[in-house]
């Protein structure tokens, strides 16, 4: 059975055969976006009846809040608002722009709303902080005495999700798409590593591309395809009151609501109007995981007296505390009763982000999963661009299906972290805050020594990462006091560790840095084609280079060491880099992740050579071991690959060995360094030192949305050699209209942390990417995306509502002649 039949000529005009699994808001949006781009041979399969087949979309309350810490999610939500505002069904808009209102009833939340207002300014969303009195005006049912203030976003509102499905379904059908209800997918056909079709209980549909947009059923579809989808379905309480006298005659039944969506995050609650009733959603209860393999189909659910498969029975015992909180905030509810309630199922991932992209293991099999109505149209647009054009217009590294480490893909991890994401939906989250469980998961060979030194660990990628060591407390420097927010997950010990690195020598655990090995006869040609710099150097050379996309955007930055004619060690950023290289590697090239079997210590500081040289017979002098060179040697009893690199702006080496010898390497260096005053130093000092030196952090300072010349890493591009990915786009680039810009805060005591808006001439003009106090400079260093500005230009960084003066600085801020590294 096939969706359509056509002649070869018409088939080419219609584009490849696409089967989308799931006709919820994501599947319908994707069909619309694909057909709008000329791919009209699109079949959407749905197991339930259309247009409300019983998945998460069918029960979604439709809240669309645009503002959050992720620039990408905000862009998704902005597009969703824009698109749904333009859609109508039977004269009714698919979006009701009632606005949004977040309330603060605690000082901590009120401060957080100031931070959220900063995000809105950074990402271009209209929003303002308002008084308690204004909150009362916007929501007259609120007890003003309980409120400190609010954050009002006038362009947010309510998506009519089922209506938006209908509107987009109609448009896609007019362009040639087919929607089939009551087709339950039972298998995914594949051949030679490519998807070839979708099997249903009513026939098989040949396909060149298959997209899983199945929502919380995603893991079920994934298993059919042999692809694990790190997603946990959870049930979430939603209730409606009986009619309220206070709302009688207030709202038009067609539009249902006139007041902003209300969020009472201090009690994990949100509210919206349903004409003369109020709908209330609660995240305050314990996580209620749902097994996606046990969720009944539409008809089976109805037979069990469930309204739909995604609607589970209301659990009164979980609701009781939230109902009391509702009544305290909204006195009109004190005599009200709940008319109906249910526990609606939707999806959570370990990091709270969607799972998007094409599988490398099964080419043509795409994921558009863990997507809420809030971001649905934006996600669909990005995935459609990815499929049709080969790349999305937004940076999607936070959503890429390959972003998770292997250690983060176990069912236990997905369950624990997904459940925690539910708990923390409305929590005030510090940018350095990490989850508490399951920890420790990944540790370097030095972990026991770090514990002995009183390491304060934070977590990233599953790794335990020391941020400072209590053993260095007696070295603590005199640094300005911080406000309570900036002081979280920070210690003045970091200043002492930075100072010792500048003055003596320190050991840094660099094990979590990703290491790849690229080998084979074609390794050099492959890396030359994939990266921007010239790697055709003799063995022993180390090169900083970039992975670019076809548009010249920065996919990643790499450090590549040529250890032998056909063997390279690549310092990369994420699992996505490995996936990208594996997708493009020819048969005569092998790419292997060696991170877990190896470890790395950074030995940096003016006394680094004095520490290391006595341990080896090889020449570690500047003449014998130059900057950006690599050498395989022994330090004491330990074989190491030494690379003369420095991410902190000081003399030193990255020293690599196998994991089994890691502890011996640490002890060897530690013992030899005692006479030189060696210390262990953490990531907090590391980040300060690298920002003083102007070294970029991919994923923070630069992404695929930025070109090398905008980001200040054009030196890593060599146009005077052969072709490479992104070269043609770079040749055609106009002069940059924005640049990654170094700022120094004027006040020596001021600190910002990142993502704050930067105001130029009184208006938001960009945002901070990375920031840290520069202990050597005595000022906070912040990098920001801004229009081109001359050094010395004054700007303001908005930090919790305060405009903090800053000045554009000349780069690099520290040691501009590189004398400290090259000595």
């Amino acid at each position: 059975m096939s969706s359509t039949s056509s002649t070869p000529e018409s088939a080419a005009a219609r584009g490849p055969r696409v089967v989308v699994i799931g006709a919820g808001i994501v599947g319908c949006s994707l069909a619309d976006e694909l057909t709008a781009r000329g791919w009209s041979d699109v079949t959407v399969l749905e197991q339930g009846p259309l247009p409300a087949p019983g998945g998460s979309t069918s029960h979604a309350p439709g809240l669309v809040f645009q503002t959050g810490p992720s620039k990408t999610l905000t862009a998704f939500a902005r597009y969703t608002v824009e698109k749904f505002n333009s859609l109508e069904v039977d004269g009714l808009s698919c979006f009701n722009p009632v606005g949004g209102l977040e309330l603060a009833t605690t000082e901590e939340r009120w401060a957080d709303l100031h931070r959220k207002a900063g995000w809105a300014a950074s990402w271009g969303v209209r929003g303002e902080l308002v008084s308690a009195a204004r909150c009362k005006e916007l929501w007259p049912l609120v007890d003003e005495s309980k409120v400190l203030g609010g954050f009002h976003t006038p362009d947010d509102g309510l998506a009519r999700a089922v209506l938006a499905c209908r509107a987009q379904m109609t448009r896609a059908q007019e362009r040639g798409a087919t929607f089939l209800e009551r087709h339950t997918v039972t298998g995914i056909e594949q051949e030679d590593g490519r998807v070839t079709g979708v099997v249903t209980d009513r026939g098989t549909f040949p396909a060149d591309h298959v997209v899983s947009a199945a929502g919380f059923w995603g893991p079920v579809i994934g298993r059919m395809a042999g692809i694990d989808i790190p997603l946990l379905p959870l049930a979430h309480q939603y209730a409606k009151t009986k009619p309220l006298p206070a709302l009688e005659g207030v709202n038009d039944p067609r539009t249902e609501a006139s007041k902003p969506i209300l969020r009472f995050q201090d009690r994990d609650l949100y509210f919206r109007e349903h004409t003369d009733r109020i709908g209330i959603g609660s995240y305050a209860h314990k996580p209620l995981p749902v097994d996606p393999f046990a969720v009944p189909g539409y008809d089976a659910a109805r037979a069990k007296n469930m309204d739909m498969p995604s609607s589970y029975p209301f659990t009164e015992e979980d609701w009781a505390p939230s109902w009391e909180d509702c009544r305290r905030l909204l006195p009109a509810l004190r005599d009200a009763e709940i008319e109906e309630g249910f526990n609606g199922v939707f999806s959570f991932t370990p990091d709270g982000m969607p799972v998007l992209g094409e599988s490398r293991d099964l080419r043509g099999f795409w994921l558009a999963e863990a997507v809420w109505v809030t971001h649905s149209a934006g996600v669909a647009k990005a995935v459609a661009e990815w499929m049709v054009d080969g790349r999305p217009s937004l940076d999607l590294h936070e959503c890429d299906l390959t972003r998770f480490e292997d250690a983060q893909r176990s069912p236990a991890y997905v369950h624990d972290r997904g459940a925690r994401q539910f708990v923390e939906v409305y929590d005030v989250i510090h940018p350095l805050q990490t989850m508490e469980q399951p920890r420790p998961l990944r540790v370097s060979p030095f972990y026991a020594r770090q514990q002995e030194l009183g390491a304060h660990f934070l977590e990233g990628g599953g790794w335990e990462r020391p941020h400072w060591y209590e053993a260095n407390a007696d070295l603590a420097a005199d640094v300005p006091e911080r406000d309570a927010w900036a002081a979280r997950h920070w210690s003045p010990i970091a200043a002492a560790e930075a100072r010792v690195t500048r003055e003596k020598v320190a050991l840094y655990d660099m094990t979590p840095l990703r290491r790849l090995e690229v080998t084979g006869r074609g390794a050099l040609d492959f890396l030359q084609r994939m990266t921007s710099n010239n790697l055709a150097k003799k063995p022993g050379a180390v090169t900083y280079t970039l992975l670019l996309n076809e548009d010249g955007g920065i996919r990643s930055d790499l450090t590549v060491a040529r250890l032998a004619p056909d063997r390279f060690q690549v310092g990369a950023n994420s699992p996505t880099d490995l996936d990208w290289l594996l997708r493009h590697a020819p048969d005569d090239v092998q790419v292997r992740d060696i991170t877990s079997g190896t470890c790395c210590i950074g030995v940096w500081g003016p006394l680094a050579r004095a520490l290391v040289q006595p341990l080896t017979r090889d020449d570690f002098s500047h003449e014998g071991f130059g900057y950006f060179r690599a050498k395989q040697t022994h330090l004491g009893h330990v074989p190491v690959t030494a690379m003369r690199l420095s991410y902190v702006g000081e003399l030193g080496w990255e020293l690599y060995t196998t994991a089994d010898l890691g502890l011996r390497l640490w002890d060897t260096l530690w013992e030899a360094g005692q006479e030189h005053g060696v210390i262990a130093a953490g990531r907090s000092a590391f980040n300060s030192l690298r920002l003083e030196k102007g070294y970029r952090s991919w994923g923070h300072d630069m992404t695929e949305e930025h070109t090398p010349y905008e980001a200040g890493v054009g030196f890593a591009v060599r146009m005077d050699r052969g072709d490479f990915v992104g070269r043609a786009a770079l040749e055609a680039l106009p002069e940059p209209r924005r640049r990654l810009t170094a700022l120094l805060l004027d006040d020596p005591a001021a600190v910002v942390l990142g993502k704050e808006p930067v105001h130029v001439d009184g208006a938001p003009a960009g945002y901070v990417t990375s920031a840290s106090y520069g202990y050597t400079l005595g000022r906070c260093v912040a990098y920001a995306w801004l229009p081109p500005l001359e050094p010395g230009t004054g700007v303001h960084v908005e930090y919790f509502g305060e405009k903090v003066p800053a000045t554009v600085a000349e780069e690099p801020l520290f040691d501009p002649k590189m004398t400290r590294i090259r000595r």
Side-chain angles (χ1 to χ4, degrees):
M1 180 177 180
S2 176
S3 56
T4 58
S5 61
S6 56
T7 66
E9 292 77 16
S10 65
R14 288 166 57 82
R17 296 168 299 181
V18 179
V19 174
V20 179
I21 301 172
I25 192 64
V26 178
C28 291
S29 296
L30 181 58
D32 183 50
E33 296 287 341
L34 286 171
T35 56
R37 287 165 175 77
W39 281 20
S40 56
D41 194 348
V42 176
T43 301
V44 183
L45 302 175
E46 175 52 60
Q47 64 178 342
L50 295 174
S56 300
T57 300
S58 301
H59 68 65
L63 281 63
V64 180
F65 280 95
Q66 298 172 83
T67 307
S70 168
K71 179 175 177 287
T72 298
L73 288 189
T74 298
F76 287 161
R78 288 183 64 184
Y79 183 75
T80 300
V81 169
E82 175 188 329
K83 183 175 187 179
F84 290 180
N85 254 321
S86 70
L87 299 175
E88 284 189 359
V89 174
D90 299 330
L92 186 62
S93 173
C94 294
F95 189 78
N96 185 0
V98 293
L101 177 63
E102 300 179 50
L103 300 179
T105 61
T106 64
E107 292 291 346
E108 183 184 32
R109 182 69 61 181
W110 184 225
D112 190 58
L113 293 187
H114 282 74
R115 186 169 61 119
K116 186 164 283 186
W119 292 337
S122 290
W123 315 143
V125 176
R126 284 204 307 155
E128 63 172 343
L129 294 163
V130 296
S131 66
R134 177 60 176 152
C135 292
K136 178 73 171 178
E137 291 177 10
L138 292 166
W139 248 87
L141 303 187
V142 166
D143 182 351
E144 182 182 351
S145 69
K146 300 285 194 300
V147 178
L148 299 178
F151 177 54
H152 180 221
T153 44
D155 299 322
D156 290 343
L158 296 167
R160 299 185 176 94
V162 174
L163 218 58
C165 285
R166 286 179 56 193
Q168 293 177 103
M169 192 185 310
T170 299
R171 297 204 312 190
Q173 287 170 326
E174 289 171 350
R175 303 184 191 113
T178 302
F179 286 75
L180 298 174
E181 64 181 4
R182 296 192 178 280
H183 280 63
T184 299
V185 174
T186 58
I188 305 295
E189 293 188 332
Q190 51 188 287
E191 184 176 337
D192 296 329
R194 283 205 64 90
V195 71
T196 59
V198 177
V199 183
T200 76
D201 59 350
R202 298 176 67 178
T204 298
F205 295 79
D208 303 302
H209 296 274
V210 173
V211 185
S212 178
F216 60 79
W217 279 291
V220 179
I221 302 300
R223 181 176 292 182
M224 295 177 192
I227 307 298
D228 71 299
I229 300 178
L231 174 161
L232 177 70
L234 288 153
H236 157 63
Q237 289 202 305
Y238 192 79
K240 290 182 184 178
T241 67
K242 290 183 176 180
L244 298 175
L247 293 182
E248 186 178 355
V250 171
N251 296 313
D252 183 336
R254 277 175 57 84
T255 58
E256 286 196 331
S258 58
K259 298 178 185 64
I261 310 160
L262 186 69
R263 288 205 281 187
F264 182 22
Q265 292 163 302
D266 289 323
R267 289 295 182 268
D268 296 310
L269 292 164
Y270 63 83
F271 306 84
R272 59 151 294 182
E273 295 173 297
H274 291 278
T275 312
D276 58 354
R277 296 164 171 81
I278 292 180
I280 307 162
S282 172
Y283 292 99
H285 55 84
K286 65 182 182 293
L288 301 170
V290 173
D291 180 359
F293 294 89
V295 175
Y298 189 89
D299 293 326
R302 301 285 285 185
K304 294 181 179 181
N305 293 319
M306 297 166 59
D307 288 339
M308 60 187 80
S310 60
S311 176
Y312 276 61
F314 195 61
T315 48
E316 295 283 355
E317 66 277 10
D318 294 314
W319 175 252
S322 291
W323 185 228
E324 292 306 311
D325 290 330
C326 295
R327 288 168 156 172
R328 279 191 286 269
L329 180 71
L330 306 177
L333 298 182
R334 287 172 185 167
D335 297 321
E337 296 180 19
I338 296 298
E339 184 172 63
E340 58 180 307
F342 65 95
N343 290 358
V345 183
F346 61 142
S347 305
F348 286 79
T349 59
D351 59 4
M353 300 293 286
V355 181
L356 312 178
E358 182 189 19
S359 168
R360 176 173 49 83
D361 297 322
L362 182 57
R363 299 295 181 92
F365 185 78
W366 294 78
L367 300 183
E369 296 291 8
V371 182
W372 296 3
V373 170
T374 306
H375 310 114
S376 55
V379 163
K381 177 176 181 283
V383 173
E385 290 173 337
W386 208 341
M387 295 175 70
V388 176
D389 303 328
R391 54 200 170 276
S393 57
L394 289 175
D395 170 65
L396 299 185
H397 80 272
E398 294 178 308
C399 309
D400 196 298
L401 64 90
T402 65
R403 69 187 182 272
F404 295 108
E405 305 281 349
D406 288 343
Q408 297 173 309
R409 289 184 169 274
S410 71
Y413 186 96
V414 173
H415 176 279
D416 292 351
R417 291 286 174 113
R420 190 64 194 171
Q421 286 293 335
F422 178 92
V423 171
E424 294 182 350
V425 161
Y426 282 169
D427 284 4
V428 176
I429 303 294
H430 190 275
L432 290 177
Q433 182 174 327
T434 53
M435 291 189 179
E436 296 177 359
Q437 294 296 332
R439 289 180 62 188
L441 183 62
R442 307 175 79 187
V443 298
S444 78
F446 327 127
Y447 184 65
R449 298 293 183 263
Q450 293 164 343
Q451 287 180 304
E452 292 168 4
L453 294 170
H456 179 86
F457 292 100
L458 298 180
E459 178 265 348
W463 287 101
E464 294 297 318
R465 303 180 185 218
H467 273 242
W468 66 84
Y469 294 85
E470 290 297 329
N472 300 322
D474 59 345
L475 304 174
D478 183 19
V479 293
E481 290 188 7
R482 294 190 171 199
D483 66 89
W485 182 254
R488 290 191 193 181
H489 307 291
W490 172 85
S491 169
I493 295 172
E497 294 176 359
R499 189 190 71 234
V500 172
T501 307
R502 293 276 189 238
E503 296 177 358
K504 294 181 181 179
V505 61
L507 305 185
Y508 288 81
D509 182 0
M510 306 304 291
T511 300
L513 292 181
R514 180 164 302 279
R515 292 171 292 286
L516 310 178
E517 183 180 71
V518 181
T519 58
R521 287 180 303 149
L524 175 61
D525 290 342
F526 169 62
L527 289 172
Q528 285 281 77
R529 184 173 70 255
M530 296 302 296
T531 71
S532 64
N533 212 332
N534 182 21
L535 307 181
K537 302 170 183 176
K538 294 179 180 180
V542 183
T543 306
Y544 176 78
T545 188
L546 306 172
L547 285 177
L548 304 178
N549 63 24
E550 292 289 352
D551 291 332
I554 304 170
R555 284 191 59 92
S556 188
D557 62 342
L558 309 176
T559 302
V560 181
R562 191 175 193 185
L563 302 180
D566 59 356
R567 183 162 67 93
F568 296 81
Q569 181 171 310
V570 178
N573 284 295
S574 76
T576 304
D577 296 342
L578 172 64
D579 180 82
W580 180 251
L581 293 175
L582 286 171
R583 286 174 187 268
H584 293 87
D587 293 339
D588 61 350
V589 174
Q590 295 78 47
V591 182
R592 187 166 66 98
D593 191 331
I594 61 172
T595 309
S596 296
T598 56
C599 59
C600 178
I601 299 175
V603 183
W604 291 310
L607 302 181
R609 183 176 289 116
L611 189 160
V612 175
Q613 182 63 80
L615 299 173
T616 180
R617 296 179 181 180
D618 286 308
D619 184 0
F620 270 57
S621 70
H622 183 61
E623 294 72 25
F625 197 156
Y627 189 51
F628 264 78
R629 300 291 299 173
K631 185 177 293 189
Q632 292 177 299
T633 183
H634 289 79
L635 296 182
H637 296 91
V638 182
V640 300
T641 298
M643 298 186 196
R644 192 169 166 197
L645 308 174
S646 175
Y647 205 51
V648 300
E650 295 293 336
L651 170 69
W653 289 266
E654 293 178 359
L655 303 173
Y656 299 88
T657 193
T658 52
D660 59 326
L661 290 166
L663 191 58
R664 184 61 177 263
L665 177 61
W666 179 279
D667 289 344
T668 299
L669 294 168
W670 186 258
E671 181 179 345
Q674 292 309 300
E675 63 179 290
H676 304 294
V678 72
I679 66 165
R683 299 285 299 184
S684 187
F686 177 88
N687 199 45
S688 170
L689 295 168
R690 72 100 179 164
L691 280 170
E692 289 185 329
K693 196 62 185 163
Y695 293 145
R696 277 56 168 154
S697 173
W698 184 86
H700 295 93
D701 301 316
M702 55 190 188
T703 69
E704 282 196 84
E705 295 180 10
H706 310 113
T707 70
Y709 308 118
E710 293 173 327
V713 290
F715 63 86
V717 177
R718 290 290 180 269
M719 302 293 283
D720 57 350
R721 64 173 184 87
D723 194 22
F724 56 88
V725 175
R727 176 183 174 136
L730 295 183
E731 288 178 329
L733 286 177
E735 278 295 308
R737 292 183 294 178
R738 59 182 178 179
R739 293 188 186 276
L740 188 61
T741 304
L743 304 175
L744 282 174
L745 272 57
D746 294 352
D747 182 353
V751 175
V752 298
L753 300 181
K755 299 188 178 180
E756 298 89 355
V758 180
H759 297 256
V760 178
D761 296 329
Y767 59 91
V768 173
T769 58
S770 295
S772 179
Y773 199 86
Y775 301 111
T776 315
L777 302 174
R779 292 285 193 282
C780 182
V781 180
Y783 273 80
W785 281 103
L786 292 169
L789 298 171
E790 291 297 320
T793 302
V795 301
H796 288 86
V797 181
E798 184 179 334
Y799 181 70
F800 286 92
E802 179 185 354
K803 304 295 194 302
V804 180
T807 302
V808 175
E810 189 83 50
E811 288 193 84
L813 305 175
F814 177 78
D815 188 26
K817 296 184 178 179
M818 303 283 284
T819 57
R820 299 177 70 90
I821 294 177
R822 294 191 172 101
R823 60 180 173 183

